[in-house]
Amino acid sequence: MTKPRSTSPTRRGLVDAPTVRAETLSAAQKDGRSCCWCSAWANERFPVPILRGSANLHACGTCAGAYGVPAVTA
Ligand SMILES: [Zn+2]
């Protein structure tokens, strides 16, 4: 009998999201126009709360779904 892993999925935050390094982001990524992970067209409904400050990161729908980025409706 195998026990289920005790890691809780209820913690707030991103799940298994790759680290986003500000120095590797393109201008479009920092501007929220391109997905900060895959450089696809970003969806403005998925702001990525990883970097504070001047960066305005967003994710595409695919990455948002994969990494648990909550959608905003505003
Ligand atoms: Zn993406």
Side-chain angles (χ1 to χ4, degrees), residues 35 37-40 59-60 63:
C35 174
W37 285 296
C38 72
S39 299
C60 68
C63 290

Side-chain angles (χ1 to χ4, degrees), residues 9-38:
T10 60
R11 281 182 55 189
R12 293 181 61 86
L14 305 183
V15 182
D16 294 334
T19 301
V20 175
R21 294 177 179 277
E23 63 270 23
T24 66
L25 296 175
S26 70
Q29 285 173 307
K30 290 180 182 177
D31 212 25
R33 285 176 284 139
S34 294
C35 174
C36 63
W37 285 296
C38 72

